[in-house]
Amino acid sequence: MASIGHQRISKGIEMKVDHIGIAVKDLQDTLNLYKKILDNSEVQIEEVPTEKVRVAMIPLGDTRIELLEPMSDESAIAKFIKEKGEGVHHITVAVEDIKASIGKLSAEGLRVLYPEPRPGSHGKMITFVHPKSTRGVLLELCQLPK
Ligand code: CMX
């Protein structure tokens, strides 16, 4: 039986919350704080040049918290922090077949930001759904590496 956090929402698309992204100004400083809050030192740090961010992934039960620091002023994270301040930036759902999910959500009329998936952190392929299509939440879809 599927565990909590896993759901089959439609035939052929298995989903779970992969991570929750939090936009931060200072990755190391925030990491020190979250290591204490989550009582976890098992962290992976990675640069994602395609998204102009440095990220730290902190495991949290069946999912993870992703801290994102902008690597340049052109990063979407830099713009978000400038306009809204630090805080929850996106929720990421892992899907089995990202191209199938993009096709399905586009056909439903949702605004998919990358019609072709792009490389994200840890070898994943990613896309986003615009927050105006999802009642104010930036939704990331990711397909894990095989
Ligand atoms: N969550 C909720 N709402 C958001 C948002 C977010 N993260 N970012 C922007 N918005 C809202 C703004 O508040 C604004 O709303 P109002 O018009 O009501 O004020 C609206 O979206 C602006 O939309 P826009 O003008 O179309 O676009 P922006 O230039 O503000 O960029 C977005 C927003 C989502 C299109 C852009 O950030 C983007 O392309 N994101 C995808 C890539 C990304 O986020 N990369 C960083 C993470 C990478 C990773 O996880 O590896």
Side-chain angles (χ1 to χ4, degrees), residues 19 21-23 48 50-55 57 66 68 75-80 83-84 87-92 111 113-114 118-121 124 126-132 134-140:
H19 64 265
I22 301 176
V48 186
T50 43
E51 294 294 333
K52 303 184 184 71
V53 289
R54 214 155 65 91
V55 306
M57 281 287 190
E66 179 186 50
L68 302 115
S75 161
I77 297 299
K79 186 172 186 206
F80 179 86
E83 289 176 2
K84 293 178 187 281
V88 173
H89 178 260
H90 63 263
I91 295 175
T92 302
R111 197 167 140 198
L113 292 169
Y114 305 161
R118 296 184 189 175
S121 63
K124 290 178 283 199
I126 63 169
T127 190
F128 292 86
V129 182
H130 197 283
K132 294 293 177 195
T134 49
R135 307 294 195 275
V137 176
L138 178 60
L139 181 67
E140 180 180 12

Side-chain angles (χ1 to χ4, degrees), residues 1-21:
M1 193 163 77
S3 64
I4 292 169
H6 293 69
Q7 193 176 10
R8 186 172 285 279
I9 62 157
S10 70
K11 199 177 170 205
I13 302 180
E14 181 90 22
M15 295 181 156
K16 74 178 278 278
V17 175
D18 184 78
H19 64 265
I20 295 164

